[in-house]
Amino acid sequence: FQRVLNIRDTGFGSGPLAAIWSDACSRHAVWEAIDRRTTYATTGARILLRVHVNDVEAGGETTVQGAPEVAIRVNACALIQRVDLIRNDRCIRSWQPDKLDVELAFTDTYPVREGAYYVRLRQDDGEYAWSTPVWVTCPGGGIEADPDQPAWNADEPFDLSTARPNGAEAYE
């Protein structure tokens, strides 16, 4: 079993969180994990996030013949509102699980020759997590992304009435 280390750059509960998947809780093992890039980040929540492409862990590099298989596992601190799978600059799949724990799978049937797959998730409480990418070479993939896939940062409609009441109202 691997261990996850939660490392903060400030005091407990006061900022972003960097997490490292390490084989052991020792200085040597932690530095090896950082070198392998088996890391992810959150806005502060202690979310557990695992991402693999064809059994290669986030942070790794692989060459895939055929369609890349993505596996995602999340253990969240609040209900998971949304999980986005992003390849390069395109959101290629989204889920709205509304659960604390999920295991998701996706087969990319329209791969590109060179791609970086990563996951972004949002909890109901407003906390986020981002995985480190898996860099994938797919010799049989296309040169460009599917134009029907939205950009990772495409505007989403947002109904402000659902965000009330909140602490920002005093400053409006």
Side-chain angles (χ1 to χ4, degrees):
F1 290 95
Q2 290 183 327
R3 301 170 191 254
V4 65
L5 300 175
N6 296 314
I7 301 173
R8 290 185 182 273
D9 60 356
T10 59
F12 181 77
S14 63
L17 178 71
I20 301 164
W21 285 104
S22 175
D23 296 328
C25 191
S26 69
R27 182 179 299 176
H28 181 73
V30 169
W31 281 111
E32 282 184 344
I34 291 170
D35 190 49
R36 287 191 319 267
R37 302 178 297 220
T38 56
T39 61
Y40 64 97
T42 77
T43 53
R46 293 182 175 267
I47 300 166
L48 297 178
L49 173 61
R50 301 299 303 259
V51 178
H52 291 82
V53 176
N54 287 47
D55 295 323
V56 173
E57 191 169 24
E61 300 176 30
T62 188
T63 298
V64 175
Q65 304 298 328
E69 302 280 339
V70 181
I72 304 163
R73 186 171 141 200
V74 181
N75 301 102
C77 305
L79 293 177
I80 303 167
Q81 185 179 61
R82 183 174 174 157
V83 178
D84 294 327
L85 175 60
I86 299 165
R87 183 192 62 223
N88 296 343
D89 65 343
R90 300 291 176 170
C91 182
I92 61 173
R93 180 69 163 94
S94 287
W95 296 267
Q96 291 80 32
D98 201 34
K99 297 178 181 178
L100 286 172
D101 304 311
V102 295
E103 290 191 33
L104 305 166
F106 178 75
T107 301
D108 187 359
T109 56
Y110 195 94
V112 294
R113 290 184 190 160
E114 298 281 331
Y117 294 80
Y118 77 95
V119 170
R120 173 187 63 196
L121 73 90
R122 178 175 60 214
Q123 295 184 153
D124 277 348
D125 63 0
E127 298 281 358
Y128 282 80
W130 300 265
S131 74
T132 298
V134 179
W135 289 270
V136 177
T137 300
C138 188
I143 296 172
E144 295 183 19
D146 181 350
D148 293 331
Q149 294 170 330
W152 72 271
N153 60 349
D155 288 332
E156 297 177 26
F158 185 72
D159 181 6
L160 287 175
S161 66
T162 63
R164 303 199 185 274
N166 64 57
E169 291 175 293
Y171 301 98
E172 292 179 335

